[in-house]
Amino acid sequence: MITHRSYAVEPWTVRETELSLDVLAQSESVFALSNGHVGWRGNLDEGEPHGLPGSYLNGVYEVHPLPYAEAGYGYPESGQTVIDITNGKILRLLVDDEPFDLRYGRLVSHERTLDLRRGVMERTCEWVSPAGTRVRVRSTRLVSLTQRSIAAVAYEVEAVGSQARVVIQSELVANEQLPESNGDPRAAMALQAPLEPEQDFASGSRLRLVHRTRHSGLRVAVAADHVVTGPERTTTGGESHPDLARLTVASVLEPGEKLRVEKTVAHGWSGARSLPAMSDQVDAALAAAAHGGWTGLVDQQREYLDDFWARADVEVDGDEEIQQAVRFALFHVLQAGARAEERAIPAKGLTGSGYDGHAFWDTEMFVLPVLIYTSPDAVAEALRWRQNTLPAARERAAQLGLRGAAFPWRTIEGEEGSAYWPAGTAAFHVNADIAHAVVRYVAATGDEDFERDTGVELLVETARLWRSLGHHDHRGTFHIDGVTGPDEYSAIADDNTYTNLMARANLLAAADVVERYPKVAERLGADDEESAAWRDAAESMNIPYNGELGVHEQHAGFTRYQRWDFAGTRADQYPLLLHFPYFDLYRKQVVKQADLVLAMYTCGAEFDEEHIARNFAYYEPLTVRDSSLSACVQAVIAAQAGHLRLAYDYTAEAALMDLEDLEHNTRDGLHIASLAGTWMALVAGFGGMRRSGETLQFAPRLPEKFSRLAFSLQFRGRRLRVEITQQSATYTLLSGPPMHIRHHGERVTVAPDTPTSHPVPPPRHRPAPEQPPHRKPNAR
C-alpha cells in the first residue's frame, strides 16, 4: 500500500515488508498507535531516522499569537497548537559501539506489521553493523485501550553468528527538534522547545520527567519502568537531566543469546494539579500496569479488540484492498476516540500534528456516526467535551452580538482558533452539527440520562444562536445570511441550504426537549415563548430552490454564478486553494467538497428521490473534492441515485486516502474523518442505512465487484447483523428484543436468532453524471 511495493494487502494487518525511507513519514502515521488520550506515531524504536517525531497527549497544547495584516474586532488573538510531548518510545541500540542506525551498515531484512485484531505494532529486522556484527531485533509496541495513560514496548536483541557487545539506552526525551513547516496551511505550526523542565528523576529501573508548557501553563508528566531479561553479565544504570532521562542496559551476547527490555510508559497532564501530584499520578499508573505486566497488557488489548470487532467488523467480498482498508479505518477511528474521555477527537486523531491538532465539525458529522453504532460510550464522552466548552462558546457568541453559544470552527480547548473569518467563524453550521450528533446518539441508544444532563443544554444553546443569527423577512420567511456551509469555496453566503436544513432540525429538536424536560429548561431559562419562536423560525426556514433548473441551490443565488473555468485548470493546479485566490473561488460555481449533496444525506427526508438524482447530477460536474471529506459523501448519494460504479470508485478513494496518500499529506497524520467515511460509504451507501426516529431503514444494493457485504450495528440495546449479496439482504438479530426495520420501504420484523431475507431490487437506470476535468475518481 502507500502505492509502494513494500506494502502487502492482507485482511487483518498492514504489513511493510522492507524499510522505505521515501515513505517513512507516511508510514509513521499509518503505524501510529493511540487510545484517544495517548498517541505515539509509528517512529522507529531507535528514534532515528524519522519523518516527524510524535508523542501526544490529548488536550496538551501551546498557545501562540495569531498575526493579522490588519486587526479586526472579533478576531481571535491567539491560536492553539498541539505539541510533541516527552517521547517515551525511544530505545537506542549500540552494537560493538556502533549505533544501530538503519542508514548505515547493511540491512538484511526489515518488516513492520500493524495487527488490527491484537492492537499492536510488531517489528523484526536483521542488521549487520559496519564492523560486521550481525544482530536480530524484534519489538512489539502498544498503546493500551484498557489502561488510559499507558503505552509499552517490548524490545529484544539477539546475537546472530558471533558474539556481540550490545547496549540499549531506554530514554525519555523532551523538546525534540521538529522539522520546519512546509508552508502547507494544513500542516502544523512548528513550536520549538515548548516544554520548560520542572523535575527529572532516575532511580533503579524507574525514569521520570515533568515539564510545563511555557504559555498555556499545562503540566506534563511522563514516567517509565523497565523489566530487563538477559545473560547474568547484564548491567543497568540510570541518569537524568532536565530534558532527558535514560536507563542504560549493557550486555555481551553469545550467538543465540537475547537481551530483552520491557518498557512501560505512563503519561499524565493537568492545568491545575501540583508537581508532586503529577509525579505521583504517573508512578501510580506504572504500579497498576505492573500488576499484570507486559503479558497482561497484551492480553487485555486483545480482549478489548475482540469485543470491538464482534460488534463493529465490516466484511467485504470482492475487493481485498477495501476489505483491508475498512478494518484499518475502523481501528484508527476507535483509537481516536476510545479513551478520549471528555476531550476532543482531533481531525488527525493523535497520529500527527496536522491542522495543529485541532478538532473541527468533522468529529460530529463523520467520526461520531461510526462510533454511535460501534462504540457509543465514546460518543457520549465527545459530546460532554462540547458541553464542557460551553462557557467559551457562550462568550464567543456574546462577542459576536449573538445569543446562545457559538462553537468554534477549530479548537483544542474550546476557544476559537481560526484566524480566517470566511472559512472559520462564518461556518456556523458547526452548531447544528453538534446538535445533530446529540439527536442521533440519543435516538440510537435511548440514553435519557445523557439527554437530560448534556443533550438539553447543548440543544438549547445552539438553537438560541440560530434564532439570533437569522431573521424573518417582510413575508415571514426565516433567513440565515452571511454564513459559510461545508463547501469552503463558497463563503459568506445567504441561506446555505445545508446550514438552514440543519438549523431547522436543531431548532425543532431543542423545542422538543424543552417540552420533555421542563425542569432543565427552567434552569436554562428556556420558556414556552422562546420554544415557540424556535418552532416558528424552523417552520418558515428558507430553502433556496431554482425552479427553472429543478434543483436546490447550495445557497441563495449560487446557480446564477459564473461557472469555474474547469477546462482551463491544469491537473497540477489542484487543490485550487493552493493556486488561486479565495476571492476568485468565492464568486464562481465550484465546490470544494460535498455541501448540498451532504444535506441530502443528513436531511434526506427533505428530498424526494427525483430531486436527489437531479441535484446530484447538477453538483457532480462542479465538485473538485479538494477536501478529504467529500468522496465518502458522494459515494453515499451516488449509491442512492443508482450510480453504483461511481459510488464504488468514491468509496475506494475514501478508503485509500491514507493507505495510498492520495492528498500527499498523510505525513502530517491520518484523515480520521475520511477513514470514518469508509464505513459511511459502505454502510449508508451500499447498505442504504438511514435512521428515521427510532427505526433503521435499509435500501441495500451492491456494485458489480462486490459479491457480499456484511456489517453489524448496535441500536437501542440490540445488535443487528446485515448481510447483503447481489440478490438479497439478510437481517439477523444477534442480541436484544425484536425490532422493526424497513427494507426498501417494506416494514420488517427481526426476531432473535431468526434471520429474515429479502430480495434486492435493481436500481433505476439514470445517465452517469460527469465530473470536472482531472477530478474523476480513479476507476477500480
Side-chain angles (χ1 to χ4, degrees):
M1 306 295 277
I2 317 184
T3 61
H4 199 283
R5 67 181 185 279
S6 61
Y7 286 81
V9 178
E10 299 172 347
W12 283 104
T13 61
V14 178
R15 187 184 307 275
E16 179 191 59
T17 57
E18 62 184 64
L19 185 67
S20 306
L21 295 181
D22 55 327
V23 292
L24 184 61
Q26 294 94 316
S27 72
E28 291 169 348
S29 298
V30 168
F31 288 115
L33 296 173
S34 169
N35 61 13
H37 177 61
V38 178
W40 276 3
R41 278 176 63 80
N43 307 114
L44 299 176
D45 299 290
E46 300 77 33
E48 297 179 15
H50 62 242
L52 174 67
S55 301
Y56 309 108
L57 271 174
N58 195 346
V60 173
Y61 66 96
E62 185 59 298
V63 295
H64 57 87
L66 287 173
Y68 297 98
E70 183 174 337
Y73 176 79
Y75 288 8
E77 295 180 359
S78 61
Q80 306 162 13
T81 297
V82 66
I83 62 170
D84 188 23
I85 64 150
T86 305
N87 184 356
K89 300 189 294 285
I90 294 178
L91 289 133
R92 304 191 195 279
L93 173 63
L94 287 85
V95 178
D96 290 341
D97 301 324
E98 294 277 359
F100 177 57
D101 187 322
L102 301 181
R103 293 167 293 190
Y104 305 100
R106 181 166 63 90
L107 186 60
V108 178
S109 64
H110 193 279
E111 181 172 295
R112 289 190 292 174
T113 302
L114 180 64
D115 190 321
L116 305 175
R117 282 184 292 197
R118 295 169 56 225
V120 299
M121 194 262 280
E122 297 176 306
R123 175 190 183 207
T124 61
C125 60
E126 285 198 18
W127 179 75
V128 180
S129 75
T133 305
R134 185 167 182 151
V135 293
R136 182 177 297 121
V137 176
R138 299 181 181 89
S139 70
T140 303
R141 179 187 298 175
L142 65 82
V143 173
S144 177
L145 292 164
T146 59
Q147 300 191 44
R148 186 171 184 249
S149 68
I150 295 296
V153 186
Y155 189 86
E156 185 177 270
V157 186
E158 178 184 354
V160 178
S162 63
Q163 185 187 79
R165 288 182 292 110
V166 299
V167 176
I168 296 174
Q169 296 174 312
S170 173
E171 297 182 347
L172 303 179
V173 181
N175 290 318
E176 293 179 281
Q177 185 173 357
L178 300 176
E180 292 296 323
S181 174
N182 59 11
D184 190 326
R186 299 166 294 185
M189 172 178 287
L191 298 181
Q192 300 295 343
L195 295 170
E196 294 184 325
E198 289 193 321
Q199 182 190 80
D200 59 89
F201 171 87
S203 179
S205 62
R206 181 72 57 90
L207 308 173
R208 184 172 62 247
L209 292 178
V210 183
H211 287 75
R212 193 166 186 175
T213 54
R214 296 180 188 278
H215 303 292
S216 59
L218 304 179
R219 182 168 281 119
V220 177
V222 179
D225 207 351
H226 304 78
V227 175
V228 177
T229 306
E232 290 185 6
R233 50 196 174 276
T234 301
T235 62
T236 63
E239 61 182 305
S240 69
H241 309 278
D243 283 345
L244 170 68
R246 176 189 295 136
L247 179 72
T248 300
V249 182
S251 191
V252 177
L253 301 181
E254 298 298 331
E257 286 189 322
K258 300 173 184 178
L259 178 62
R260 178 181 175 89
V261 176
E262 295 172 356
K263 179 180 187 180
T264 306
V265 186
H267 307 75
W269 74 269
S270 174
R273 304 189 75 206
S274 68
L275 191 155
M278 292 305 303
S279 296
D280 291 348
Q281 177 181 326
V282 291
D283 284 351
L286 288 176
H291 185 71
W294 168 258
T295 300
L297 289 172
V298 172
D299 291 346
Q300 291 165 20
Q301 193 87 335
R302 178 62 188 256
E303 290 169 9
Y304 185 101
L305 284 166
D306 282 347
D307 183 57
F308 172 73
W309 289 118
R311 65 178 184 267
D313 189 24
V314 176
E315 300 172 34
V316 179
D317 291 353
D319 191 314
E320 293 179 341
E321 284 190 340
I322 290 182
Q323 175 65 88
Q324 179 189 44
V326 68
R327 287 177 174 147
F328 173 80
L330 283 165
F331 178 74
H332 274 292
V333 170
L334 173 69
Q335 288 199 131
R339 302 303 304 273
E341 296 176 12
E342 297 192 20
R343 300 302 313 173
I345 299 178
K348 299 292 187 181
L350 299 178
T351 67
S353 59
Y355 290 116
D356 289 304
H358 289 179
F360 296 77
W361 69 294
D362 311 16
T363 299
E364 282 77 20
M365 296 310 296
F366 293 84
V367 179
L368 296 193
V370 179
L371 294 174
I372 282 170
Y373 297 107
T374 59
S375 192
D377 289 348
V379 178
E381 295 292 337
L383 292 172
R384 289 189 186 103
W385 169 71
R386 288 293 193 184
Q387 183 184 27
N388 292 340
T389 65
L390 268 171
R394 291 191 186 101
E395 184 177 340
R396 181 65 167 156
Q399 183 184 35
L400 300 176
L402 300 169
R403 296 193 67 220
F407 281 99
W409 174 239
R410 57 186 299 171
T411 190
I412 294 176
E413 187 60 18
E415 305 268 339
E416 177 61 77
S418 174
Y420 185 61
W421 178 282
T425 297
F428 287 101
H429 67 82
V430 65
N431 263 39
D433 301 329
I434 293 166
H436 179 83
V438 169
V439 172
R440 196 168 188 170
Y441 168 77
V442 173
T445 63
D447 189 345
E448 294 180 0
D449 290 342
F450 170 89
E451 185 177 45
R452 181 191 63 247
D453 298 337
T454 298
V456 175
E457 188 173 22
L458 287 172
L459 290 170
V460 165
E461 296 293 11
T462 50
R464 283 173 169 159
L465 177 106
W466 298 120
R467 187 61 188 83
S468 63
L469 181 64
H471 69 98
H472 290 279
D473 66 15
H474 65 283
R475 292 187 297 271
T477 304
F478 194 78
H479 301 272
I480 302 174
D481 296 330
V483 301
T484 300
D487 171 29
E488 295 164 19
Y489 288 171
S490 300
I492 316 297
D494 296 339
D495 287 327
N496 171 257
T497 296
Y498 173 87
T499 301
N500 284 15
L501 287 174
M502 293 287 285
R504 178 159 74 186
N506 188 168
L507 290 160
L508 293 173
D512 288 344
V513 296
V514 162
E515 289 182 8
R516 287 202 297 276
Y517 299 96
K519 290 184 178 180
V520 180
E522 182 180 1
R523 177 173 59 80
L524 297 172
D527 55 23
D528 291 343
E529 183 178 353
E530 185 174 25
S531 177
W534 295 339
R535 291 192 186 278
D536 181 48
E539 290 163 3
S540 57
M541 187 73 70
N542 185 51
I543 307 300
Y545 183 76
N546 186 321
E548 189 175 329
L549 294 174
V551 298
H552 291 82
E553 293 195 294
Q554 183 168 287
H555 62 75
F558 179 83
T559 54
R560 69 167 180 79
Y561 283 8
Q562 179 184 356
R563 290 173 71 96
W564 183 263
D565 180 14
F566 292 106
T569 304
R570 302 189 310 272
D572 64 356
Q573 290 180 299
Y574 293 95
L576 299 178
L577 79 162
L578 299 183
H579 299 91
F580 297 93
Y582 275 118
F583 160 75
D584 206 18
L585 296 167
Y586 289 164
R587 62 195 185 96
K588 302 286 178 62
Q589 286 194 63
V590 56
V591 180
K592 179 182 180 184
Q593 64 202 76
D595 187 312
L596 188 282
V597 171
L598 177 60
M600 294 193 296
Y601 170 51
T602 61
C603 304
E606 306 289 341
F607 303 88
D608 61 34
E609 291 297 323
E610 285 304 312
H611 275 112
I612 286 173
R614 285 204 301 271
N615 289 338
F616 186 70
Y618 184 86
Y619 286 95
E620 266 293 282
L622 306 176
T623 304
V624 295
R625 300 192 321 287
D626 282 352
S627 166
S628 62
L629 302 180
S630 197
C632 60
V633 180
Q634 289 171 269
V636 170
I637 300 302
Q640 185 173 356
H643 306 299
L644 297 177
R645 181 56 190 264
L646 179 61
Y648 176 45
D649 294 341
Y650 279 141
T651 299
E653 182 172 309
L656 302 175
M657 184 65 62
D658 290 308
L659 288 173
E660 292 191 356
D661 195 15
L662 296 179
E663 295 219 341
H664 311 295
N665 62 352
T666 296
R667 63 182 181 276
D668 299 322
L670 301 178
H671 298 79
I672 300 298
S674 183
L675 293 176
T678 307
W679 181 94
M680 181 190 299
L682 293 169
V683 174
F686 299 128
M689 191 194 82
R690 302 290 188 275
R691 179 192 56 82
S692 178
E694 297 178 7
T695 302
L696 291 179
Q697 305 179 21
F698 298 89
R701 291 189 181 97
L702 298 185
E704 289 182 7
K705 292 290 184 73
F706 286 4
S707 59
R708 187 179 72 97
L709 172 67
F711 53 87
S712 296
L713 301 166
Q714 290 196 166
F715 189 76
R716 300 191 74 83
R718 302 166 174 89
R719 186 172 297 179
L720 178 69
R721 177 175 172 81
V722 181
E723 186 166 359
I724 307 160
T725 66
Q726 291 287 348
Q727 294 77 33
S728 66
T730 301
Y731 304 95
T732 305
L733 190 59
L734 301 178
S735 65
M739 66 185 297
H740 302 295
I741 64 171
R742 289 194 175 274
H743 170 84
H744 284 282
E746 176 189 353
R747 190 171 187 265
V748 174
T749 300
V750 189
D753 300 320
T754 309
T756 177
S757 297
H758 302 268
V760 171
R764 177 178 171 180
H765 177 72
R766 293 186 174 98
E770 295 295 322
Q771 289 76 42
H774 313 301
R775 304 308 288 166
K776 189 178 182 68
N778 293 330
R780 296 292 291 166

PDB file of all heavy atoms in Angstrom, residues 189-208:
ATOM      1  N   MET A 189       1.903  24.437  12.889  1.00  0.00           N
ATOM      2  CA  MET A 189       2.946  25.396  13.205  1.00  0.00           C
ATOM      3  C   MET A 189       3.960  24.688  14.095  1.00  0.00           C
ATOM      4  O   MET A 189       3.610  24.127  15.128  1.00  0.00           O
ATOM      5  CB  MET A 189       2.352  26.609  13.916  1.00  0.00           C
ATOM      6  CG  MET A 189       3.403  27.582  14.445  1.00  0.00           C
ATOM      7  SD  MET A 189       2.674  29.030  15.237  1.00  0.00           S
ATOM      8  CE  MET A 189       2.081  29.905  13.792  1.00  0.00           C
ATOM      9  N   ALA A 190       5.218  24.692  13.700  1.00  0.00           N
ATOM     10  CA  ALA A 190       6.255  24.017  14.481  1.00  0.00           C
ATOM     11  C   ALA A 190       6.680  24.917  15.639  1.00  0.00           C
ATOM     12  O   ALA A 190       7.211  26.007  15.426  1.00  0.00           O
ATOM     13  CB  ALA A 190       7.451  23.684  13.598  1.00  0.00           C
ATOM     14  N   LEU A 191       6.434  24.474  16.862  1.00  0.00           N
ATOM     15  CA  LEU A 191       6.834  25.211  18.052  1.00  0.00           C
ATOM     16  C   LEU A 191       8.045  24.502  18.659  1.00  0.00           C
ATOM     17  O   LEU A 191       7.941  23.372  19.127  1.00  0.00           O
ATOM     18  CB  LEU A 191       5.689  25.275  19.062  1.00  0.00           C
ATOM     19  CG  LEU A 191       4.415  25.997  18.608  1.00  0.00           C
ATOM     20  CD1 LEU A 191       3.385  25.994  19.725  1.00  0.00           C
ATOM     21  CD2 LEU A 191       4.723  27.420  18.174  1.00  0.00           C
ATOM     22  N   GLN A 192       9.171  25.158  18.618  1.00  0.00           N
ATOM     23  CA  GLN A 192      10.391  24.540  19.112  1.00  0.00           C
ATOM     24  C   GLN A 192      10.516  24.729  20.626  1.00  0.00           C
ATOM     25  O   GLN A 192      10.259  25.807  21.159  1.00  0.00           O
ATOM     26  CB  GLN A 192      11.610  25.151  18.400  1.00  0.00           C
ATOM     27  CG  GLN A 192      11.599  24.980  16.885  1.00  0.00           C
ATOM     28  CD  GLN A 192      11.694  23.528  16.426  1.00  0.00           C
ATOM     29  OE1 GLN A 192      12.078  22.652  17.199  1.00  0.00           O
ATOM     30  NE2 GLN A 192      11.359  23.283  15.161  1.00  0.00           N
ATOM     31  N   ALA A 193      10.911  23.681  21.321  1.00  0.00           N
ATOM     32  CA  ALA A 193      11.166  23.674  22.764  1.00  0.00           C
ATOM     33  C   ALA A 193      10.037  24.326  23.562  1.00  0.00           C
ATOM     34  O   ALA A 193      10.263  25.301  24.284  1.00  0.00           O
ATOM     35  CB  ALA A 193      12.489  24.375  23.057  1.00  0.00           C
ATOM     36  N   PRO A 194       8.810  23.791  23.469  1.00  0.00           N
ATOM     37  CA  PRO A 194       7.694  24.401  24.205  1.00  0.00           C
ATOM     38  C   PRO A 194       7.625  24.001  25.676  1.00  0.00           C
ATOM     39  O   PRO A 194       6.819  24.547  26.425  1.00  0.00           O
ATOM     40  CB  PRO A 194       6.479  23.872  23.458  1.00  0.00           C
ATOM     41  CG  PRO A 194       6.909  22.513  22.982  1.00  0.00           C
ATOM     42  CD  PRO A 194       8.369  22.642  22.651  1.00  0.00           C
ATOM     43  N   LEU A 195       8.448  23.032  26.107  1.00  0.00           N
ATOM     44  CA  LEU A 195       8.353  22.489  27.463  1.00  0.00           C
ATOM     45  C   LEU A 195       9.475  23.019  28.348  1.00  0.00           C
ATOM     46  O   LEU A 195      10.669  22.918  28.000  1.00  0.00           O
ATOM     47  CB  LEU A 195       8.410  20.964  27.426  1.00  0.00           C
ATOM     48  CG  LEU A 195       7.256  20.247  26.720  1.00  0.00           C
ATOM     49  CD1 LEU A 195       7.565  18.766  26.552  1.00  0.00           C
ATOM     50  CD2 LEU A 195       5.951  20.432  27.491  1.00  0.00           C
ATOM     51  N   GLU A 196       9.102  23.548  29.507  1.00  0.00           N
ATOM     52  CA  GLU A 196      10.075  24.005  30.491  1.00  0.00           C
ATOM     53  C   GLU A 196      10.238  22.933  31.564  1.00  0.00           C
ATOM     54  O   GLU A 196       9.252  22.471  32.147  1.00  0.00           O
ATOM     55  CB  GLU A 196       9.616  25.316  31.125  1.00  0.00           C
ATOM     56  CG  GLU A 196       9.578  26.466  30.139  1.00  0.00           C
ATOM     57  CD  GLU A 196       9.207  27.775  30.818  1.00  0.00           C
ATOM     58  OE1 GLU A 196       8.398  27.750  31.765  1.00  0.00           O
ATOM     59  OE2 GLU A 196       9.726  28.828  30.395  1.00  0.00           O
ATOM     60  N   PRO A 197      11.470  22.520  31.844  1.00  0.00           N
ATOM     61  CA  PRO A 197      11.671  21.421  32.800  1.00  0.00           C
ATOM     62  C   PRO A 197      11.337  21.828  34.236  1.00  0.00           C
ATOM     63  O   PRO A 197      11.608  22.951  34.669  1.00  0.00           O
ATOM     64  CB  PRO A 197      13.162  21.105  32.650  1.00  0.00           C
ATOM     65  CG  PRO A 197      13.771  22.356  32.108  1.00  0.00           C
ATOM     66  CD  PRO A 197      12.735  22.993  31.245  1.00  0.00           C
ATOM     67  N   GLU A 198      10.738  20.880  34.956  1.00  0.00           N
ATOM     68  CA  GLU A 198      10.439  21.074  36.371  1.00  0.00           C
ATOM     69  C   GLU A 198      11.027  19.971  37.246  1.00  0.00           C
ATOM     70  O   GLU A 198      11.373  20.212  38.388  1.00  0.00           O
ATOM     71  CB  GLU A 198       8.921  21.114  36.596  1.00  0.00           C
ATOM     72  CG  GLU A 198       8.234  22.357  36.074  1.00  0.00           C
ATOM     73  CD  GLU A 198       6.814  22.489  36.598  1.00  0.00           C
ATOM     74  OE1 GLU A 198       6.114  21.458  36.707  1.00  0.00           O
ATOM     75  OE2 GLU A 198       6.396  23.617  36.896  1.00  0.00           O
ATOM     76  N   GLN A 199      11.139  18.757  36.709  1.00  0.00           N
ATOM     77  CA  GLN A 199      11.678  17.656  37.510  1.00  0.00           C
ATOM     78  C   GLN A 199      12.271  16.600  36.596  1.00  0.00           C
ATOM     79  O   GLN A 199      11.700  16.285  35.542  1.00  0.00           O
ATOM     80  CB  GLN A 199      10.566  17.021  38.360  1.00  0.00           C
ATOM     81  CG  GLN A 199      11.035  15.891  39.274  1.00  0.00           C
ATOM     82  CD  GLN A 199       9.858  15.151  39.899  1.00  0.00           C
ATOM     83  OE1 GLN A 199       9.245  14.297  39.277  1.00  0.00           O
ATOM     84  NE2 GLN A 199       9.541  15.496  41.142  1.00  0.00           N
ATOM     85  N   ASP A 200      13.438  16.076  36.972  1.00  0.00           N
ATOM     86  CA  ASP A 200      13.982  14.898  36.298  1.00  0.00           C
ATOM     87  C   ASP A 200      14.431  13.913  37.367  1.00  0.00           C
ATOM     88  O   ASP A 200      14.934  14.302  38.421  1.00  0.00           O
ATOM     89  CB  ASP A 200      15.125  15.269  35.353  1.00  0.00           C
ATOM     90  CG  ASP A 200      16.285  15.962  36.053  1.00  0.00           C
ATOM     91  OD1 ASP A 200      17.197  15.261  36.532  1.00  0.00           O
ATOM     92  OD2 ASP A 200      16.262  17.210  36.128  1.00  0.00           O
ATOM     93  N   PHE A 201      14.217  12.623  37.077  1.00  0.00           N
ATOM     94  CA  PHE A 201      14.418  11.592  38.100  1.00  0.00           C
ATOM     95  C   PHE A 201      14.840  10.294  37.434  1.00  0.00           C
ATOM     96  O   PHE A 201      14.307   9.918  36.385  1.00  0.00           O
ATOM     97  CB  PHE A 201      13.103  11.396  38.863  1.00  0.00           C
ATOM     98  CG  PHE A 201      13.090  10.216  39.793  1.00  0.00           C
ATOM     99  CD1 PHE A 201      13.549  10.331  41.099  1.00  0.00           C
ATOM    100  CD2 PHE A 201      12.606   8.979  39.372  1.00  0.00           C
ATOM    101  CE1 PHE A 201      13.523   9.240  41.966  1.00  0.00           C
ATOM    102  CE2 PHE A 201      12.576   7.886  40.229  1.00  0.00           C
ATOM    103  CZ  PHE A 201      13.045   8.017  41.535  1.00  0.00           C
ATOM    104  N   ALA A 202      15.806   9.619  38.060  1.00  0.00           N
ATOM    105  CA  ALA A 202      16.204   8.268  37.632  1.00  0.00           C
ATOM    106  C   ALA A 202      16.655   7.507  38.863  1.00  0.00           C
ATOM    107  O   ALA A 202      17.547   7.967  39.597  1.00  0.00           O
ATOM    108  CB  ALA A 202      17.314   8.332  36.594  1.00  0.00           C
ATOM    109  N   SER A 203      16.050   6.360  39.095  1.00  0.00           N
ATOM    110  CA  SER A 203      16.424   5.524  40.233  1.00  0.00           C
ATOM    111  C   SER A 203      16.049   4.091  39.918  1.00  0.00           C
ATOM    112  O   SER A 203      14.890   3.796  39.581  1.00  0.00           O
ATOM    113  CB  SER A 203      15.717   5.992  41.502  1.00  0.00           C
ATOM    114  OG  SER A 203      16.059   5.166  42.609  1.00  0.00           O
ATOM    115  N   GLY A 204      17.040   3.199  40.028  1.00  0.00           N
ATOM    116  CA  GLY A 204      16.789   1.803  39.690  1.00  0.00           C
ATOM    117  C   GLY A 204      16.345   1.698  38.236  1.00  0.00           C
ATOM    118  O   GLY A 204      17.025   2.176  37.328  1.00  0.00           O
ATOM    119  N   SER A 205      15.203   1.075  38.009  1.00  0.00           N
ATOM    120  CA  SER A 205      14.691   0.925  36.639  1.00  0.00           C
ATOM    121  C   SER A 205      13.668   2.005  36.289  1.00  0.00           C
ATOM    122  O   SER A 205      13.063   1.968  35.228  1.00  0.00           O
ATOM    123  CB  SER A 205      14.047  -0.453  36.479  1.00  0.00           C
ATOM    124  OG  SER A 205      12.934  -0.589  37.360  1.00  0.00           O
ATOM    125  N   ARG A 206      13.473   2.980  37.191  1.00  0.00           N
ATOM    126  CA  ARG A 206      12.417   3.985  37.038  1.00  0.00           C
ATOM    127  C   ARG A 206      12.989   5.314  36.514  1.00  0.00           C
ATOM    128  O   ARG A 206      14.019   5.783  37.007  1.00  0.00           O
ATOM    129  CB  ARG A 206      11.726   4.204  38.385  1.00  0.00           C
ATOM    130  CG  ARG A 206      10.572   5.200  38.394  1.00  0.00           C
ATOM    131  CD  ARG A 206       9.343   4.644  37.684  1.00  0.00           C
ATOM    132  NE  ARG A 206       8.868   3.397  38.242  1.00  0.00           N
ATOM    133  CZ  ARG A 206       7.969   3.314  39.225  1.00  0.00           C
ATOM    134  NH1 ARG A 206       7.462   4.403  39.766  1.00  0.00           N
ATOM    135  NH2 ARG A 206       7.561   2.128  39.658  1.00  0.00           N
ATOM    136  N   LEU A 207      12.302   5.911  35.541  1.00  0.00           N
ATOM    137  CA  LEU A 207      12.638   7.226  34.991  1.00  0.00           C
ATOM    138  C   LEU A 207      11.409   8.116  35.077  1.00  0.00           C
ATOM    139  O   LEU A 207      10.277   7.642  34.961  1.00  0.00           O
ATOM    140  CB  LEU A 207      13.072   7.121  33.531  1.00  0.00           C
ATOM    141  CG  LEU A 207      14.184   6.130  33.166  1.00  0.00           C
ATOM    142  CD1 LEU A 207      14.342   6.070  31.646  1.00  0.00           C
ATOM    143  CD2 LEU A 207      15.504   6.517  33.838  1.00  0.00           C
ATOM    144  N   ARG A 208      11.646   9.424  35.217  1.00  0.00           N
ATOM    145  CA  ARG A 208      10.503  10.349  35.213  1.00  0.00           C
ATOM    146  C   ARG A 208      10.977  11.751  34.820  1.00  0.00           C
ATOM    147  O   ARG A 208      12.027  12.213  35.262  1.00  0.00           O
ATOM    148  CB  ARG A 208       9.845  10.396  36.585  1.00  0.00           C
ATOM    149  CG  ARG A 208       8.594  11.273  36.634  1.00  0.00           C
ATOM    150  CD  ARG A 208       7.842  11.141  37.954  1.00  0.00           C
ATOM    151  NE  ARG A 208       8.621  11.573  39.097  1.00  0.00           N
ATOM    152  CZ  ARG A 208       9.069  10.785  40.069  1.00  0.00           C
ATOM    153  NH1 ARG A 208       8.797   9.484  40.029  1.00  0.00           N
ATOM    154  NH2 ARG A 208       9.774  11.258  41.070  1.00  0.00           N
TER     155      ARG A 208
END
